[in-house]
Amino acid sequence: RAAGSGKSRTDHQDQEEMYGRRDAEERGTLSRHEESVLAGLLKDSVPIFDPAKPTSAKAWMRKCEQYFDVLGLCSLQSRKIVLSTLLNGRAAAWLEAVGNRLFSWERMRECFLDEFVDVLAVERAWAALHRLRDNTSFDKYWTCFQQAAVLTEEDLWTSKRLRSSFYFNLRGRHKEKILMHAYTRGIRHDDLTLREMVDLLNVAELAYANDQREKTKEHEKKAPEEKREWRRKSYGRHGAG
């Protein structure tokens, strides 16, 4: 009988937990499960979205939705609660003002992007990319490219337009490296992903830097000998004169 009563208490606790989650959903508060999900979300360093800082609203929303899907946050109310912890400044005020008037996640996402995607900033970002040139070092070019790309509201690694812009602005020897790599694989360079091109050029630049260092060392070794030879010849000419 004691065992039976123990099972009964366990079933009752399960029911209380189930109804507790349902009540929490209706009240707009987090259940214990959702609190742990939120803790995990923040632990994984989802950035705070602040419209006053240069941040891509689309990319930020995509990242949030990826975490929502992986961590099982499906209900609109749960997502609103998580968003309220990740929005700052004007974005936090926006959610507080309109959150209760939006009744589907799709509608909330649409309104968020309408509000915080800066069309003029996107145009300026594309203009900056068109002006960018790979004429110093690849590291500097890639850093500047990423800084401008984040403001285009395009996904860095999947956008065909960003990939084309990246390739178009490369210096000649970098383009040749990509073309040769594509040729050896029997594909067009357009079939390479941006990540593949970046990885390829990082390796190529490292090899190029090592080659330049070896040439410098070799030149430094030869310099004293060349200087002595020049002095000998110069002395010989003066002596003959």
Side-chain angles (χ1 to χ4, degrees):
R1 197 161 53 195
S5 62
K7 184 178 186 303
S8 176
R9 284 196 298 272
T10 300
D11 291 342
H12 181 64
Q13 290 170 355
D14 290 342
Q15 288 180 353
E16 282 186 339
E17 183 178 352
M18 178 183 69
Y19 289 128
R21 289 180 181 176
R22 184 183 302 171
D23 291 343
E25 184 75 13
E26 292 174 354
R27 292 194 310 270
T29 59
L30 289 173
S31 67
R32 290 179 181 177
H33 169 69
E34 289 167 337
E35 286 176 351
S36 66
V37 168
L38 176 57
L41 183 67
L42 297 176
K43 185 178 179 181
D44 287 330
S45 301
V46 174
I48 300 296
F49 180 81
D50 189 340
K53 299 178 180 179
T55 306
S56 167
K58 281 186 179 179
W60 185 86
M61 179 57 71
R62 277 194 298 266
K63 187 170 186 178
C64 281
E65 290 183 317
Q66 288 171 356
Y67 278 105
F68 291 160
D69 292 340
V70 170
L71 299 174
L73 279 173
C74 300
S75 70
L76 174 63
Q77 193 61 39
S78 298
R79 292 186 175 192
K80 283 182 182 179
I81 294 169
V82 172
L83 282 183
S84 69
T85 67
L86 298 176
L87 299 179
N88 196 20
R90 188 167 64 87
W94 169 85
L95 181 63
E96 186 176 352
V98 306
N100 292 331
R101 301 201 300 268
L102 302 173
F103 300 104
S104 73
W105 175 250
E106 290 72 20
R107 180 60 179 156
M108 174 161 282
R109 185 205 304 115
E110 179 184 355
C111 291
F112 177 86
L113 296 179
D114 286 345
E115 182 71 21
F116 296 112
V117 172
D118 187 340
V119 176
L120 292 178
V122 170
E123 292 178 354
R124 288 194 296 269
W126 281 113
L129 284 176
H130 293 324
R131 292 192 302 269
L132 186 61
R133 291 294 181 270
D134 176 21
N135 54 14
T136 53
S137 69
F138 176 70
D139 283 343
K140 184 174 181 180
Y141 171 73
W142 175 230
T143 298
C144 294
F145 184 89
Q146 291 179 91
Q147 290 172 348
V150 73
L151 299 178
T152 65
E153 301 293 347
E154 300 274 343
D155 183 73
L156 177 64
W157 299 113
T158 61
S159 169
K160 292 182 179 180
R161 188 178 176 187
L162 282 177
R163 183 189 62 191
S164 297
S165 179
F166 171 84
Y167 175 80
F168 180 79
N169 294 331
L170 288 173
R171 65 173 62 189
R173 64 182 172 87
H174 287 159
K175 287 182 179 179
E176 290 176 5
K177 182 66 68 173
I178 289 174
L179 291 172
M180 287 299 298
H181 179 75
Y183 176 77
T184 58
R185 290 179 54 182
I187 60 177
R188 296 166 41 125
H189 77 275
D190 289 342
D191 295 326
L192 292 172
T193 66
L194 178 59
R195 191 181 297 276
E196 288 174 324
M197 289 192 284
V198 170
D199 290 344
L200 175 67
L201 293 179
N202 277 327
V203 172
E205 281 298 283
L206 181 61
Y208 179 79
N210 290 335
D211 182 61
Q212 292 298 108
R213 279 195 293 268
E214 290 300 320
K215 288 182 178 179
T216 301
K217 289 179 181 179
E218 185 177 349
H219 176 71
E220 289 173 350
K221 288 180 181 179
K222 290 182 178 180
E225 298 177 3
E226 292 174 350
K227 191 172 183 180
R228 284 195 296 269
E229 180 66 17
W230 178 82
R231 285 178 176 175
R232 186 184 65 80
K233 291 180 179 180
S234 177
Y235 179 78
R237 285 196 299 270
H238 288 300

